[in-house]
Amino acid sequence: MSHKTLRPPRILSINNYNYRRGGSDAVFIDHDLMFSRNNWDTALFSMHHPKNNISPWSKYFVNELEFGHSYDIYQKIVMSSKVIYSMEARNKLNQLLNTFQPDIAHLHCIYHHISPSVLSLLQRNGVPCVMTAHDLKLACPAYKMLNDVGICEKCKNGNLFHVIKNRCLHNSLTVSSLVAIESSIHKLFRIYKKHLDIVVTPSKFFLNKLIEWGWSSSKLKYIPNFIDTTNITPNYDAGGYFLYFGRLAPEKGVDTLIKAAINSNVRLVIAGTGPFEFNLKSLAIDNKNISFVGYKSGKDLWDLILNSRAIVLPSEWYENAPISILEAYAAGKPVIGANIGGIPEMLQDEITGVIFDSGNSNDLSEKLSKLQSMPDHEVSSFGRNAREFVLNNFSPERYLNSMLELYRSLGVNTK
């Protein structure tokens, strides 16, 4: 029996941030914890950041790199090179691999900060590479297929000049040009397609969209996200307000939601902050039915969810697989969701909630009125259906079994 079979299987998880900055970072952290609790040896590779979780692997992390920071000309040159191909990340990962030889590497968001420089190193060390596509960066240089006009797929034909023309990143000519160059080089040398064994998509929509943009279906695997409902006690009582929680940015469609709430005369609570906050508050000014409660997390957020009538996702961009839907379902709350991106596949219309036409305030107003006037016991029934749906389709056990099956298909001994 070889030495390899005498030890637990080993997984290396890689992501730009090692704290719960957003949904993708939460999946990265929870994925690592899941495998650690299932008796795998685990290691992390990430970027230094003041908010990072404490990790025994942090000595191998790359130096912090943030586009929003001020850099002198030399630092900008160094930053630009790291975005395209970070030798620092490659060298530091090599040091980690001298200590920890994984059986599988699972990557999440590595763009710009870590860069794909680590992929060929892992391949050279015989480590299969899986990446979860939390966004559309593997197709669209600007991640979102979105610009100031709305949904944009102009780069599908391979001409990335549109990124520069539309200043798709931070509305900055410099940053957009850099990212266009980065993506052009990566596409030219097929860095991701050549070195990734499998790309996991949490939504069927993302899987199909990547195929449309030139990815082979053989390289893609649909595995939905999960939520641990163990410590979430649902409240099926129909509350008196609708709730939006999340980032206040134009693509989230909160302006459409506010217009619909005013038109349908329902109570709306908005939890979150973001660049569009002032505009949204101006839109809702003097309306006593609409409350902005700021950023909420932990128990404060769960209290808002549990006491709501329904959660609203009014998105106007290609959402992937919003964790907020799973959180709503776990709490026993129906969802009113826009028919865009991966949202519709997570909703059972008239069973776990209702679907409306994205960007259509009149249609959303009708759906808000529908759930407002619906008898409480029917709203509760939607909530019970939602809870059952999340238990059956988005459980940790289902996620773990799907991942183990995938890893085994790549030759990993998972026992």
Side-chain angles (χ1 to χ4, degrees):
M1 185 177 292
S2 68
H3 171 71
K4 191 171 184 178
T5 60
L6 294 175
R7 60 165 174 78
R10 292 178 175 174
I11 182 169
L12 170 64
S13 296
I14 302 178
N15 189 60
N16 286 331
Y17 297 94
N18 187 30
Y19 72 98
R20 294 180 186 272
R21 183 173 182 262
S24 59
D25 309 297
V27 172
F28 156 73
I29 291 167
D30 290 339
H31 184 102
D32 171 73
L33 286 172
M34 172 180 284
F35 279 83
S36 177
R37 290 168 180 165
N38 280 274
N39 302 315
W40 282 53
D41 288 339
T42 66
L44 301 178
F45 186 67
S46 187
M47 176 183 73
H48 286 294
H49 192 277
K51 294 183 180 179
N52 270 359
N53 298 329
I54 296 172
S55 170
W57 302 99
S58 61
K59 62 183 176 181
Y60 300 109
F61 290 4
V62 299
N63 292 326
E64 185 182 2
L65 175 68
E66 291 290 358
F67 281 106
H69 290 183
S70 296
Y71 295 99
D72 61 33
I73 188 65
Y74 173 75
Q75 290 172 320
K76 287 180 180 178
I77 293 171
V78 172
M79 182 184 77
S80 299
S81 63
K82 283 185 176 182
V83 165
I84 296 170
Y85 194 91
S86 174
M87 286 305 299
E88 180 200 6
R90 186 178 174 91
N91 291 336
K92 288 190 172 179
L93 179 59
N94 192 48
Q95 294 172 28
L96 187 153
L97 293 176
N98 288 332
T99 301
F100 183 91
Q101 185 64 35
D103 299 306
I104 187 82
H106 197 121
L107 301 92
H108 296 266
C109 293
I110 64 169
Y111 323 112
H112 301 167
H113 305 286
I114 291 174
S115 88
S117 64
V118 299
L119 296 177
S120 60
L121 175 64
L122 290 164
Q123 190 177 67
R124 192 182 74 191
N125 280 267
V127 182
C129 290
V130 173
M131 173 180 273
T132 295
H134 296 286
D135 50 46
L136 288 165
K137 173 68 172 175
L138 292 175
C140 168
Y143 299 89
K144 297 179 179 180
M145 295 191 183
L146 182 80
N147 59 30
D148 289 341
V149 178
I151 297 295
C152 173
E153 297 194 38
K154 291 182 178 178
C155 290
K156 186 187 289 188
N157 61 8
N159 180 3
L160 304 188
F161 178 72
H162 297 288
V163 180
I164 302 171
K165 180 181 177 182
N166 294 313
R167 300 190 180 193
C168 293
L169 274 295
H170 305 292
N171 198 31
S172 165
L173 179 62
T174 301
V175 176
S176 299
S177 299
L178 174 60
V179 171
I181 293 169
E182 168 223 25
S183 296
S184 296
I185 293 172
H186 293 166
K187 287 180 183 293
L188 177 64
F189 292 100
R190 303 181 74 252
I191 290 178
Y192 288 105
K193 288 182 179 179
K194 187 162 57 175
H195 297 300
L196 288 174
D197 292 281
I198 291 291
V199 174
V200 171
T201 65
S203 68
K204 295 174 183 175
F205 177 87
F206 265 38
L207 185 146
N208 292 327
K209 188 58 66 177
L210 288 175
I211 291 174
E212 286 179 28
W213 280 61
W215 279 80
S216 168
S217 60
S218 64
K219 281 271 192 177
L220 306 173
K221 177 71 174 178
Y222 164 64
I223 298 178
N225 289 325
F226 71 94
I227 187 169
D228 186 354
T229 60
T230 307
N231 297 316
I232 304 172
T233 303
N235 177 17
Y236 299 117
D237 294 338
Y241 60 86
F242 295 91
L243 174 66
Y244 168 85
F245 62 97
R247 183 167 165 78
L248 302 185
E251 68 271 14
K252 293 295 186 176
V254 186
D255 54 339
T256 300
L257 171 57
I258 289 173
K259 293 172 187 174
I262 293 172
N263 190 44
S264 55
N265 196 32
V266 299
R267 284 185 61 203
L268 172 65
V269 174
I270 298 172
T273 59
F276 211 40
E277 186 171 351
F278 177 80
N279 305 64
L280 296 172
K281 287 182 175 178
S282 298
L283 192 62
I285 197 165
D286 296 329
N287 190 296
K288 296 180 180 179
N289 280 335
I290 300 176
S291 304
F292 289 82
V293 296
Y295 175 78
K296 299 292 181 182
S297 63
K299 183 180 182 302
D300 291 339
L301 178 58
W302 279 110
D303 284 346
L304 281 174
I305 297 171
L306 287 163
N307 291 296
S308 67
R309 192 171 190 86
I311 307 303
V312 190
L313 265 82
S315 296
E316 295 176 11
W317 70 299
Y318 291 154
E319 292 273 11
N320 187 359
I323 298 293
S324 53
I325 294 181
L326 304 186
E327 292 171 333
Y329 286 174
K333 298 298 171 181
V335 170
I336 302 175
N339 63 341
I340 193 168
I343 293 174
E345 66 195 64
M346 299 175 73
L347 269 169
Q348 293 181 300
D349 198 26
E350 302 292 339
I351 299 174
T352 65
V354 292
I355 298 172
F356 74 95
D357 185 21
S358 177
N360 188 332
S361 63
N362 291 329
D363 191 23
L364 177 52
S365 179
E366 288 180 13
K367 298 305 192 298
L368 290 169
S369 297
K370 176 186 177 74
L371 262 75
Q372 181 64 43
S373 60
M374 183 182 288
D376 286 357
H377 73 272
E378 291 186 21
V379 177
S380 299
S381 179
F382 274 19
R384 292 179 189 279
N385 294 339
R387 174 79 178 192
E388 183 179 359
F389 186 62
V390 82
L391 291 175
N392 291 336
N393 295 279
F394 301 94
S395 68
E397 293 77 18
R398 181 167 180 169
Y399 179 89
L400 177 62
N401 289 334
S402 296
M403 283 296 172
L404 290 175
E405 181 183 348
L406 172 59
Y407 293 167
R408 284 192 292 268
S409 74
L410 297 174
V412 178
N413 183 353
T414 60
K415 296 181 180 179

